[in-house]
Amino acid sequence: MKKLMIGLLTAVTITGMSVSAFAADLETQKSKSEVNGDTLLISNYAPKDLSINKVVIRGKNIELGKNGVLIYKGKIMVPLKTTAESLGFKLEADKDNKIISLDNGEIKTNVYVGEDSYYYSSSKAIGLTMMHELGAEPIIVDNIIYVPINMYNFLFNDQKTVGSFWVRNKDGQWIYSLNGELIAGWKLINNKWYFMSNNGIMQRGWVQTNGNWYYLLNNGEMAASTVTPDGYKVDQNGKWDGKPASTVVTNTEDALDIINPIEGFDTIDEAQKALKFKVTVPKELLGKYNIKYINTISRELFQICYLNKGNDILFRMGQGVEDISGDYNNYKINNIVDINGSNVKLKGDDNLIKVAAWSVNNMSYSISVNDGMKQDDIINIIKSTF
């Protein structure tokens, strides 16, 4: 169940607590897709043939086989030998296999294992570019040298040298590459919405964003205007209508081996009976905010949402040391403060904290505030949980 819970947390709590409507997010993402020119026609579905695993570079489909790709420092890493030789490069390595020379008759370069330093020059003329950093150095895994796939954008001096495609990592999980860059969050692909975790993994099952729940089919597509395999109705924007499940469908390939993970309760005491750990809630909030809802997720995570004049404050707790806030947005404020001997991560914008996350005695906690809160105020709330 613990393994299941970690998977669910990745799927259901991966986005931030934005107050904007999901429909607005769809339009924003659609605009971004149009600006980025992401019009390459690919399948609406992540491939299902496990014997095929390709990347697209210079319009060429390069088969990676069982090696797949790696995600390292937020970059898509591909096997150097397989990709470079497919593009016509001849490779020569030094005796330690640390410096690899590439030459395709027009472009030549050296790749230095362990050094984020890249350049290229003409095979026929004198002169070379300055050294550039691409965000990740070449690494060796299982005796295979991996390089950032966007190295080829750099070598060929074209940011669209690497195409847009689905590809599996070494664990068989699907990721989506947009011209070599890793995609996280919601992404519109051929008019179908997909959701990738912060490490680029395509998600399935229930996800929560903007306080609403959405269902991703087994192929990754967001379900819309239908009933999910576990019997819940979602509208044209994919949002669950909040009503109990109808008859659960079990004879479909999209059905998961779990029921809906969200379980609502009228009181904290009722939720406590469903959990294996003792629930504590912020004492500082009691009496100042109304309770909007009390939930458990797979009976392994507790969450309670407080409401005051339209401002939601979501408190979560669960076993383990993972960040359970579900907010992986980039914020200008990223502070770590010591509160009663625990390191608490505080994130936010415009001098307001929107997310706090910390761990104590193998228990994880988080507080998410829609409209943000002054740092001193959220610290007082956190202190009241100890």
Side-chain angles (χ1 to χ4, degrees):
M1 179 60 77
K2 180 63 177 176
K3 181 178 180 182
L4 171 62
M5 183 57 193
I6 292 174
L8 280 173
L9 288 180
T10 301
V12 304
T13 65
I14 205 72
T15 57
M17 303 301 292
S18 170
V19 297
S20 59
F22 182 61
D25 285 348
L26 295 185
E27 290 303 317
T28 300
Q29 291 289 346
K30 183 175 185 294
S31 298
K32 288 181 179 178
S33 297
E34 291 170 350
V35 170
N36 290 334
D38 185 20
T39 57
L40 181 66
L41 293 178
I42 66 171
S43 171
N44 284 342
Y45 297 83
K48 297 181 179 180
D49 188 343
L50 296 183
S51 66
I52 299 175
N53 199 25
K54 299 177 179 178
V55 295
V56 181
I57 306 176
R58 300 201 82 186
K60 185 174 184 178
N61 291 313
I62 301 175
E63 172 62 46
L64 300 183
K66 64 180 181 179
N67 291 327
V69 301
L70 298 178
I71 304 303
Y72 176 67
K73 293 186 175 180
K75 300 297 180 181
I76 300 172
M77 309 289 286
V78 292
L80 174 62
K81 179 177 174 62
T82 300
T83 52
E85 288 186 343
S86 296
L87 296 170
F89 285 97
K90 292 182 179 180
L91 280 65
E92 292 185 5
D94 68 348
K95 63 178 182 179
D96 297 322
N97 227 26
K98 297 293 186 180
I99 303 175
I100 298 86
S101 299
L102 287 74
D103 193 334
N104 70 349
E106 297 181 2
I107 299 172
K108 63 180 180 181
T109 188
N110 285 341
V111 170
Y112 303 94
V113 174
E115 296 183 24
D116 183 6
S117 189
Y118 303 86
Y119 78 94
Y120 64 88
S121 62
S122 170
S123 300
K124 302 176 182 179
I126 298 176
L128 49 83
T129 65
M130 295 181 63
M131 290 292 188
H132 288 264
E133 294 182 353
L134 298 178
E137 70 277 11
I139 58 176
I140 299 178
V141 178
D142 297 331
N143 295 318
I144 298 174
I145 298 174
Y146 287 83
V147 296
I149 194 172
N150 61 358
M151 181 188 77
Y152 294 108
N153 287 340
F154 173 69
L155 291 182
F156 291 100
N157 196 27
D158 183 351
Q159 293 305 305
K160 292 189 177 181
T161 294
V162 179
S164 299
F165 49 82
W166 290 104
V167 66
R168 295 195 317 280
N169 64 14
K170 289 175 67 68
D171 295 325
Q173 298 166 310
W174 290 107
I175 67 170
Y176 181 70
S177 163
L178 177 59
N179 299 127
E181 295 300 321
L182 190 67
I183 295 299
W186 289 105
K187 181 62 180 174
L188 183 65
I189 304 172
N190 282 6
N191 294 318
K192 299 292 184 179
W193 283 101
Y194 298 81
F195 186 81
M196 272 64 76
S197 65
N198 65 310
N199 58 358
I201 305 302
M202 184 192 81
Q203 299 297 296
R204 300 180 175 93
W206 288 100
V207 298
Q208 186 186 39
T209 179
N210 305 321
N212 297 313
W213 289 94
Y214 304 86
Y215 189 87
L216 304 170
L217 300 174
N218 204 40
N219 57 30
E221 291 181 12
M222 184 191 75
S225 299
T226 188
V227 175
T228 65
D230 49 0
Y232 294 83
K233 186 178 180 181
V234 291
D235 65 16
Q236 68 273 17
N237 291 320
K239 185 174 69 174
W240 172 44
D241 65 5
K243 297 179 181 179
S246 56
T247 302
V248 177
V249 180
T250 58
N251 58 343
T252 171
E253 66 179 36
D254 285 322
L256 300 180
D257 294 329
I258 57 174
I259 61 173
N260 182 55
I262 317 162
E263 192 171 357
F265 297 88
D266 292 329
T267 67
I268 296 173
D269 288 340
E270 288 180 2
Q272 176 67 80
K273 295 176 183 178
L275 297 164
K276 297 179 181 179
F277 54 84
K278 181 175 176 57
V279 171
T280 59
V281 297
K283 302 179 182 64
E284 185 71 21
L285 283 174
L286 297 180
K288 297 181 180 180
Y289 288 78
N290 295 319
I291 295 177
K292 186 175 181 180
Y293 59 79
I294 300 170
N295 288 336
T296 63
I297 300 177
S298 293
R299 296 197 169 194
E300 293 194 13
L301 180 143
F302 170 81
Q303 61 180 19
I304 181 169
C305 185
Y306 300 93
L307 175 66
N308 180 24
K309 297 180 180 179
N311 189 24
D312 284 0
I313 298 181
L314 180 65
F315 171 78
R316 284 177 172 167
M317 66 178 298
Q319 291 179 315
V321 295
E322 298 90 357
D323 183 344
I324 59 174
S325 68
D327 192 326
Y328 297 93
N329 292 317
N330 293 320
Y331 291 103
K332 296 178 182 178
I333 299 173
N334 285 278
N335 298 332
I336 297 179
V337 299
D338 184 291
I339 301 178
N340 291 358
S342 297
N343 289 329
V344 180
K345 298 178 182 178
L346 300 176
K347 299 184 290 185
D349 291 315
D350 301 324
N351 297 318
L352 294 176
I353 302 301
K354 292 192 174 182
V355 184
W358 69 99
S359 298
V360 179
N361 297 327
N362 201 38
M363 293 292 298
S364 292
Y365 304 83
S366 71
I367 295 174
S368 301
V369 187
N370 274 356
D371 294 340
M373 182 178 291
K374 292 181 179 179
Q375 180 165 311
D376 289 344
D377 291 339
I378 202 165
I379 285 176
N380 287 334
I381 294 173
I382 294 169
K383 286 180 177 179
S384 74
T385 66
F386 285 85

